[in-house]
Amino acid sequence: HLFIEPLLPLDSYGYVMNRPVEVRIAPLHMNRTSTLHDDFPELPAAGNIVTGPIVKVIEETTNVIDSALCAKGRPIARDVDGLFCANSSYCTPRATKRGEELVLNGGDPTHRVTFKKAGVFAICYCEKWKGDATSCERAPEWMLVGKVIVAGAVGNEDWVLDMGVIQSFTLNGYGFSDMQTLRGGEVGPIHTVRILEFGEGDCRNLDSNRNLASTSLKVCSPLNKGRCQMHSTINGVGFSDANISDIPGSIWRWNSTFPYPAVKHVRPDGMGASVATFAEVAILAEGDTIHFEDNIEPSATHWRRKEDLDRIVRGADHGYSVLELMDAGRQARIPLFVDPYPELTITPPEQGRWWRSNKLKVEHIKGTAETSPLLVCWGIKSSENDPAVYYHNAGYITWVVPSYFTRIDFGLTTTAAGAIAPIMLSFTTGNNPLYREARNSMQLRVAFLNTSVIAPAMSGVTARPLERLYDADQPHEASQAVCGRLFSELYSEFEFGFPVPRGCWIDYNRYGAEGRIVALYIIFEPLNGLRAETNYTIVMNAHLKQAVSNYTGLGGDDPGLVEITALDDIFLKPEGVVDIGWVDPDKLIVEPARAGAIYRDGRFLDSPTARGGVAVLSGAQTFAAFDTTVPSDDLFVQPEGDTFGLSFLLKGDPTNPIRAQSTLRLYLWPLSLWELNHRTACEAECRPQENRACNGFMPCTFEATQSICIDYVPPKLTEWVDSAGRGCDHYAGAPGVCASDAADFIPSNGISAIFACCACLGGVRRNSNIVKLKLPQSMDPARGSEVVHTVRFWQVTPVPKRGFFATRFGVQVTDVDDERPNYVISSGRYIIKPPDENLYSPVATLVDAEGWGNPQKFKNDPNWNNYYLRLQIPASLYGTPWYGTGFLAKIDIYMPEGFQCKQVLKAAPRGVGDDRIELPVLPFESPTGKGGIAESTTYEGGNESTPGAGYRAGKWEFQANRCTFFLERYTALFDNQRVYLHVFALNPPYALPRNDPRNFWIINFTSSGDSGAPEGHAAPTCTPYRPPACTATGENYYVNPLGLPGARSFELLYPNETEVSTVIGPIRLGLPLNLTAEPNYTTSFPVLGIIADFVVQPHFYHLSARSALQIWFTPDSGNFE
């Protein structure tokens, strides 16, 4: 046998920039080095052999180095120390034999080579025979031994991070591995001298003085569950366990996310490269360098070939650069090619391991002061317990003061500890120009900083603690169906509403806090994020974990329990802060009502066997002359006119009944919709069960979820004005007006603005959405089904102009001292409110801009036509989470008769980068109002950000001229949001003039609203209550099955979702109210006919005669006359 052993670099993973290293090469197994050179005994005076084989190292930059380029190149002196090449064929020192290897040391065992920059370097070899003066000048005599990665940072990077916010940054470089770390030192005015004293700004001297570290930042280590520790001591001396001097950097690996993006298989692409297919989106970028680990193995019959193929598959130590990403990030094309291509085996199957070596992420750091640039040093730790050795100045970090929201509010509904109930978060954006400048998607982050006090919960009436959504814990898994799981309402009074999310995702382990800090993210479509100087409201469920006496310090380093952050461009600066704010709830979480006969705390009837503490009735009775509520014969109570009211059965717990003088608070949903006039009062009364007491009218007032402040209104006045005729709006109009004007301009009633307006921040108060009732003094306790009273309220005004589908409301009861709350969600009938006619004008319209839509203008065209349709959601749509048939929330688009709907996509721009052209009807600056929903071509995930996501947003169905979008469970589209759709269809087989009565579009919106039932809800197996044949009471299924005959009710506590489904529509397309501002819209397009029987005849046929042409044809105007 003849074995040809290649020379290979040894210890290739030991190459680190600025760290002296021995350059060693040798065959892997066989002793062949003795035949490669003479062992020259003669040494020059310096002790350095100057004859023998030449080994040189050359950086690989733009060109891929092979043996031919080895002959031409030579190292650059500023990049490599310890190797001098006078030209491409003469270098010193020479390689010398040591044992079975060649070492580039010229016979000096202490000689080392230092690479002064990071990168990929080629090791080249030429056998320089004694006496051959021209050897190594000939190209064929050079060979490429191999390539090595010199680990290190590229250097000279700049990062600008926001002070007071836990952030991260990415350091670019080569050859990163798990043990590499960073350390920040200051070059600012405080510590510059000190650093200059010990290292003159050079990171390589830090290993001799561990006390050099910035005092202007903290490290929020995952080892400490996200709690922050100083990077250095305040005086820079004496590190201890309270300090983290070496900040670890993390690399991206096959197991960095769950589910794991492991390699399923690697196969040739037929074009001189390979395609690696991942089980999940690998979150890589073109140009990234990846390495395969040893469980991806090639097959070979000979051990020598197996060894060679192993080395090649590993990336020959320097890895593979990602040439192209495909399949939305689940495939990567890499320059791996072998002929013949071996079979690659992955053990276990489809679980190939890999890592990325060109980027190091430095996480969980927080600047504590605004600074001039801080020097960032890169180094390596040999083990977790050893000090890091630093080798390079990687760049500079500057901490800047972030921009803050101009106002931020956090309102609780119930205050009962242990309850899961809606909360309201409102914030007003500042005037930061970054809102307009970002060209890619932006994000909004809502972080709960101490989930042992308040934690996010699942949305909907069947609220429960937030479950771990493993398929929604990375940005690429964001889906609109996740948004509906997290948020009950997203609202803004801005013309476009709250921007339609591209998707939402959850960070359960924020800052490595193991669930103590949970962050919720909303990703917006490009150019359709938040707007500067605009108010936004989020309503979501939260779990109130424990009662507190105050909130001070519960958010850790941060001044609030909830942090809201508007984030910058998701690609260019994903953690950059546009606006930020922290907030605590406006009310304390208090101890709830206690269970047990020894307590007088009131509790609703609400157990697995008996429910319906507040069961809404049909509203058929009229209790007062001023009650204008319309009686309902179906499952809904619907407001009429500008007032609202309803009646409900009040059922207390059998052991802890609801007693006289208790306070009821009804939280009207949607919370962002109701804006009750807090300067008016509603009316209410209690009607007792037969032979029981609950007599008289009750106090009925309004409160706001986000304010416990009450302005004083003089008696008999519904609106206060000062002596100049100015109302509270004047005092709310600008900061400082209360301070400057409130004591003056006192009206004749003597009540100044200090009391009438300025008690609540100058009259700026959030919307009142709570009906507060005080039960009568003369009242028998409401106890189970034994004593059931009927409570009625009316004159609730004004009724919202906006609409909503079937919904419940929350109710809290407190004792006579307004303490010990108990919370329940209403049951029985739903509340429903169609939007006022012409509230949104238009709900739907078609884009009529040249070149955008309607390219196929004639009837019976075999090619698909297309249109751009704008929708404004008239009422929030929810993909109901309850059991049943599903897909009950939908949008029906009916095209004119004769069309055949084929496909619906997002209204995407044309071109990319600087050549990108948006729809001409959109504003030039963000937000454009161009939201999107799932496309018919990508059912899974529903948009580009969720390829193959586990939580699908919806699906499309096409039948004749109808295009229907079905919302998946939990998917939500919120009131007033605007979306643009790109609709494809076949034209009808006949002409449709624009004024043909058949040429119109219709839109229907269908939803079951907030329908739902408790887990385990099921009908009784027999007709209650008829013992001994049936002992089931039915109290968990019917409104009042055990009541007295006159009050007994077998209406359902939780009507089925199919029965409460309603439709808003049919709605015809309309035109914007301001056609001057929005001219490029229409309600329909004509479908042109084709002229038939076309004849052209001249009067005279002879040559050169002037003639007139007669033209005959049969027009085609369809069936319209």
Side-chain angles (χ1 to χ4, degrees):
H1 294 278
L2 175 65
F3 295 113
I4 301 176
E5 280 277 24
L7 286 173
L8 295 174
L10 300 182
D11 194 26
S12 58
Y13 285 100
Y15 287 79
V16 177
M17 67 179 304
N18 292 325
R19 184 171 76 181
V21 63
E22 280 190 325
V23 178
R24 303 157 54 215
I25 60 177
L28 285 180
H29 298 288
M30 302 179 67
N31 179 10
R32 304 298 297 167
T33 55
S34 59
T35 65
L36 295 176
H37 64 92
D38 291 332
D39 192 7
F40 299 103
E42 308 89 16
L43 295 177
N48 192 358
I49 294 177
V50 294
T51 59
I54 296 177
V55 174
K56 61 183 177 181
V57 292
I58 306 171
E59 183 188 10
E60 184 172 87
T61 53
T62 56
N63 295 321
V64 177
I65 294 180
D66 55 12
S67 294
L69 289 179
C70 272
K72 299 178 182 179
R74 63 172 176 164
I76 300 174
R78 69 172 182 269
D79 297 339
V80 181
D81 191 17
L83 176 64
F84 172 74
C85 294
N87 51 53
S88 60
S89 61
Y90 185 84
C91 299
T92 57
R94 300 294 180 85
T96 186
K97 181 180 178 182
R98 185 177 64 191
E100 303 301 329
E101 62 189 34
L102 297 177
V103 184
L104 184 59
N105 63 10
D108 180 0
T110 64
H111 183 81
R112 299 293 184 269
V113 175
T114 303
F115 296 82
K116 293 186 285 187
K117 67 180 296 188
V120 177
F121 283 78
I123 297 180
C124 301
Y125 172 86
C126 177
E127 174 60 33
K128 182 74 172 178
W129 289 102
K130 185 177 181 180
D132 187 352
T134 60
S135 64
C136 296
E137 296 179 5
R138 297 179 291 269
E141 296 180 349
W142 283 93
M143 64 170 290
L144 173 66
V145 174
K147 298 175 185 178
V148 295
I149 288 185
V150 176
V154 296
N156 295 320
E157 294 192 87
D158 288 298
W159 303 276
V160 178
L161 302 183
D162 296 285
M163 186 191 77
V165 186
I166 300 177
Q167 294 190 292
S168 66
F169 66 93
T170 298
L171 187 150
N172 293 290
Y174 299 86
F176 292 136
S177 63
D178 285 332
M179 296 306 298
Q180 290 156 6
T181 60
L182 287 168
R183 181 172 174 179
E186 287 190 321
V187 189
I190 298 177
H191 295 283
T192 301
V193 173
R194 184 171 183 182
I195 290 178
L196 291 176
E197 285 179 353
F198 287 98
E200 299 181 345
D202 192 337
C203 294
R204 285 174 288 179
N205 293 325
L206 283 178
D207 58 317
S208 62
N209 191 332
R210 295 186 64 244
N211 291 334
L212 283 179
S214 171
T215 61
S216 299
L217 69 105
K218 291 184 176 182
V219 183
C220 307
S221 169
L223 299 177
N224 202 23
K225 295 188 177 181
R227 293 178 176 86
C228 301
Q229 298 169 273
M230 291 300 297
H231 183 36
S232 173
T233 56
I234 297 300
N235 58 10
V237 178
F239 282 85
S240 67
D241 291 340
N243 309 107
I244 300 178
S245 58
D246 299 323
I247 307 173
S250 61
I251 61 173
W252 193 251
R253 301 174 59 90
W254 63 278
N255 58 353
S256 292
T257 62
F258 184 84
Y260 301 148
V263 174
K264 295 178 66 177
H265 51 75
V266 181
R267 293 170 181 166
D269 68 349
M271 298 181 290
S274 296
V275 173
T277 299
F278 303 92
E280 303 289 334
V281 176
I283 317 181
L284 296 169
E286 292 182 7
D288 280 349
T289 301
I290 63 172
H291 303 250
F292 296 133
E293 295 189 15
D294 56 7
N295 75 326
I296 303 177
E297 296 184 279
S299 298
T301 56
H302 194 282
W303 65 269
R304 174 70 266 177
R305 176 171 171 79
K306 175 69 165 59
E307 197 169 64
D308 287 344
L309 288 175
D310 279 340
R311 179 170 46 85
I312 293 171
V313 169
R314 301 286 170 274
D317 298 333
H318 54 78
Y320 291 109
S321 177
V322 175
L323 304 175
E324 180 184 4
L325 291 171
M326 301 171 290
D327 190 20
R330 289 198 287 189
Q331 288 187 326
R333 188 167 176 264
I334 58 175
L336 166 60
F337 180 73
V338 184
D339 187 16
Y341 201 92
E343 179 183 351
L344 298 179
T345 303
I346 299 177
T347 308
E350 300 189 350
Q351 295 183 38
R353 300 190 293 267
W354 57 273
W355 83 93
R356 180 180 65 187
S357 64
N358 64 306
K359 291 179 181 177
L360 195 69
K361 189 169 185 180
V362 185
E363 300 179 289
H364 313 137
I365 59 174
K366 177 193 284 188
T368 58
E370 189 175 12
T371 66
S372 56
L374 307 180
L375 178 64
V376 176
C377 303
W378 173 85
I380 293 180
K381 298 177 78 170
S382 58
S383 71
E384 198 62 40
N385 297 321
D386 291 331
V389 179
Y390 292 93
Y391 297 104
H392 187 46
N393 302 350
Y396 296 89
I397 283 181
T398 302
W399 298 108
V400 298
V401 177
S403 175
Y404 297 99
F405 291 117
T406 58
R407 178 165 177 167
I408 183 169
D409 296 288
F410 180 176
L412 299 179
T413 51
T414 183
T415 56
I420 296 179
I423 61 172
M424 287 188 76
L425 297 167
S426 294
F427 57 93
T428 302
T429 53
N431 60 359
N432 197 326
L434 293 176
Y435 285 113
R436 301 185 299 271
E437 294 173 359
R439 312 312 292 171
N440 300 302
S441 291
M442 302 176 75
Q443 296 185 96
L444 179 70
R445 181 176 66 216
V446 180
F448 289 77
L449 303 180
N450 189 342
T451 56
S452 68
V453 179
I454 300 177
M458 298 287 286
S459 67
V461 294
T462 56
R464 58 185 185 276
L466 184 63
E467 61 191 44
R468 185 70 184 261
L469 305 178
Y470 288 103
D471 289 333
D473 58 1
Q474 294 292 322
H476 70 277
E477 295 173 326
S479 168
Q480 289 173 336
V482 178
C483 298
R485 283 168 164 81
L486 303 177
F487 305 111
S488 303
E489 302 173 43
L490 298 176
Y491 179 70
S492 173
E493 293 181 354
F494 178 55
E495 177 186 3
F496 305 154
F498 197 105
V500 178
R502 185 173 183 171
C504 299
W505 64 283
I506 310 170
D507 186 353
Y508 293 92
N509 195 29
R510 183 70 179 158
Y511 315 134
E514 296 183 3
R516 187 178 63 87
I517 302 174
V518 175
L520 317 178
Y521 289 81
I522 300 175
I523 302 179
F524 300 110
E525 294 280 2
L527 297 175
N528 195 40
L530 301 176
R531 180 175 179 263
E533 299 179 295
T534 304
N535 183 65
Y536 296 93
T537 297
I538 294 173
V539 177
M540 60 180 296
N541 284 331
H543 190 182
L544 312 184
K545 294 284 193 70
Q546 58 176 298
V548 296
S549 58
N550 65 76
Y551 293 114
T552 304
L554 294 181
D557 280 354
D558 298 308
L561 280 171
V562 170
E563 174 195 280
I564 301 179
T565 314
L567 295 170
D568 204 346
D569 190 302
I570 195 171
F571 294 121
L572 302 181
K573 198 176 181 183
E575 295 194 47
V577 173
V578 181
D579 273 328
I580 192 169
W582 294 267
V583 65
D584 284 321
D586 60 347
K587 299 175 280 291
L588 290 175
I589 304 172
V590 300
E591 295 292 347
R594 294 160 292 187
I598 63 173
Y599 302 112
R600 294 183 60 82
D601 305 344
R603 296 168 58 90
F604 291 110
L605 181 66
D606 187 34
S607 71
T609 59
R611 301 186 185 275
V614 173
V616 178
L617 300 175
S618 61
Q621 302 92 347
T622 298
F623 286 0
F626 298 105
D627 180 7
T628 59
T629 301
V630 175
S632 175
D633 294 327
D634 52 25
L635 298 173
F636 309 108
V637 175
Q638 180 172 322
E640 176 159 301
D642 204 31
T643 64
F644 170 66
L646 56 78
S647 61
F648 59 87
L649 295 180
L650 179 64
K651 303 169 76 172
D653 184 84
T655 305
N656 296 93
I658 297 174
R659 305 176 188 275
Q661 290 289 280
S662 295
T663 298
L664 298 178
R665 286 181 173 86
L666 283 64
Y667 306 99
L668 300 182
W669 300 351
L671 291 173
S672 63
L673 182 151
W674 293 88
E675 296 189 43
L676 304 176
N677 186 351
H678 66 280
R679 300 192 182 280
T680 65
C682 49
E683 297 189 47
E685 69 172 344
C686 179
R687 299 196 76 182
Q689 181 174 299
E690 186 178 347
N691 298 322
R692 298 289 185 172
C694 187
N695 298 319
F697 287 88
M698 303 183 299
C700 181
T701 56
F702 304 134
E703 292 180 347
T705 297
Q706 290 182 304
S707 176
I708 56 174
C709 179
I710 302 173
D711 288 334
Y712 178 76
V713 181
K716 300 187 182 301
L717 287 181
T718 59
E719 184 176 1
W720 177 93
V721 294
D722 65 12
S723 60
R726 301 172 299 192
C728 285
D729 290 344
H730 165 73
Y731 292 88
V737 177
C738 277
S740 62
D741 290 4
D744 303 321
F745 303 100
I746 302 175
S748 59
N749 56 43
I751 305 300
S752 72
I754 294 175
F755 300 100
C757 302
C758 296
C760 290
L761 301 177
V764 178
R765 57 183 62 74
R766 298 302 185 188
N767 53 306
S768 295
N769 45 23
I770 304 171
V771 177
K772 179 182 177 182
L773 306 174
K774 187 80 169 178
L775 293 177
Q777 288 184 342
S778 176
M779 170 185 159
D780 288 329
R783 187 188 307 271
S785 296
E786 178 184 346
V787 181
V788 180
H789 301 305
T790 302
V791 176
R792 179 79 166 181
F793 66 87
W794 63 96
Q795 293 284 33
V796 173
T797 185
V799 171
K801 296 183 182 299
R802 296 158 49 201
F804 53 90
F805 289 97
T807 190
R808 302 289 192 185
F809 56 88
V811 190
Q812 174 182 279
V813 62
T814 51
D815 62 19
V816 65
D817 297 319
D818 205 8
E819 297 176 349
R820 293 291 178 178
N822 182 242
Y823 178 78
V824 74
I825 297 174
S826 69
S827 54
R829 304 262 166 155
Y830 290 86
I831 306 173
I832 192 170
K833 166 67 172 62
D836 285 6
E837 191 172 351
N838 298 324
L839 176 63
Y840 301 117
S841 185
V843 170
T845 188
L846 287 168
V847 174
D848 185 11
E850 184 177 355
W852 292 83
N854 195 35
Q856 319 305 130
K857 298 182 175 10
F858 292 92
K859 71 174 187 179
N860 217 25
D861 195 309
N863 299 308
W864 288 1
N865 203 354
N866 66 84
Y867 303 93
Y868 289 89
L869 175 67
R870 188 182 89 183
L871 296 178
Q872 195 104 12
I873 307 301
S876 295
L877 294 166
Y878 300 98
T880 173
W882 200 25
Y883 54 79
T885 59
F887 295 119
L888 293 180
K890 63 179 181 175
I891 302 173
D892 290 308
I893 302 169
Y894 289 92
M895 304 180 74
E897 181 183 325
F899 279 89
Q900 295 182 44
C901 195
K902 293 295 184 182
Q903 180 175 274
V904 179
L905 304 177
K906 291 184 179 181
R910 296 173 182 170
V912 295
D914 294 337
D915 296 326
R916 186 168 70 177
I917 302 174
E918 288 283 356
L919 270 169
V921 296
L922 299 177
F924 291 109
E925 293 182 338
S926 179
T928 62
K930 196 190 74 172
I933 57 178
E935 299 181 331
S936 61
T937 56
T938 52
Y939 172 46
E940 287 193 327
N943 53 47
E944 295 175 6
S945 67
T946 55
Y951 303 105
R952 300 165 176 166
K955 68 177 182 180
W956 285 91
E957 178 182 278
F958 306 120
Q959 185 174 3
N961 64 326
R962 175 176 59 82
C963 320
T964 299
F965 177 67
F966 294 95
L967 279 70
E968 278 272 10
R969 298 190 185 281
Y970 284 105
T971 298
L973 290 171
F974 296 99
D975 174 31
N976 201 31
Q977 288 185 325
R978 181 177 288 186
V979 299
Y980 282 82
L981 305 176
H982 197 184
V983 182
F984 292 80
L986 282 173
N987 284 348
Y990 45 79
L992 273 179
R994 193 187 296 269
N995 56 352
D996 191 309
R998 298 169 299 169
N999 195 354
F1000 62 90
W1001 294 54
I1002 288 291
I1003 311 294
N1004 284 339
F1005 299 89
T1006 305
S1007 178
S1008 296
D1010 278 325
S1011 62
E1015 284 191 61
H1017 176 68
T1021 57
C1022 55
T1023 304
Y1025 169 71
R1026 297 179 180 179
C1030 182
T1031 57
T1033 65
E1035 289 181 283
N1036 66 339
Y1037 197 77
Y1038 300 108
V1039 167
N1040 193 21
L1042 300 185
L1044 294 178
R1048 187 172 299 165
S1049 172
F1050 286 93
E1051 290 187 13
L1052 297 178
L1053 283 173
Y1054 307 103
N1056 189 279
E1057 58 183 353
T1058 58
E1059 297 176 1
V1060 299
S1061 178
T1062 54
V1063 179
I1064 295 178
I1067 301 172
R1068 285 205 179 197
L1069 271 60
L1071 295 174
L1073 293 178
N1074 189 345
L1075 288 175
T1076 302
E1078 296 184 291
N1080 297 319
Y1081 289 97
T1082 185
T1083 58
S1084 65
F1085 287 95
V1087 178
L1088 303 183
I1090 300 174
I1091 291 175
D1093 305 323
F1094 190 75
V1095 177
V1096 180
Q1097 179 180 350
H1099 279 188
F1100 305 102
Y1101 288 93
H1102 57 272
L1103 187 64
S1104 301
R1106 174 174 293 186
S1107 182
L1109 295 178
Q1110 292 180 320
I1111 301 174
W1112 289 272
F1113 61 91
T1114 301
D1116 183 4
S1117 299
N1119 297 325
F1120 179 61
E1121 295 181 0

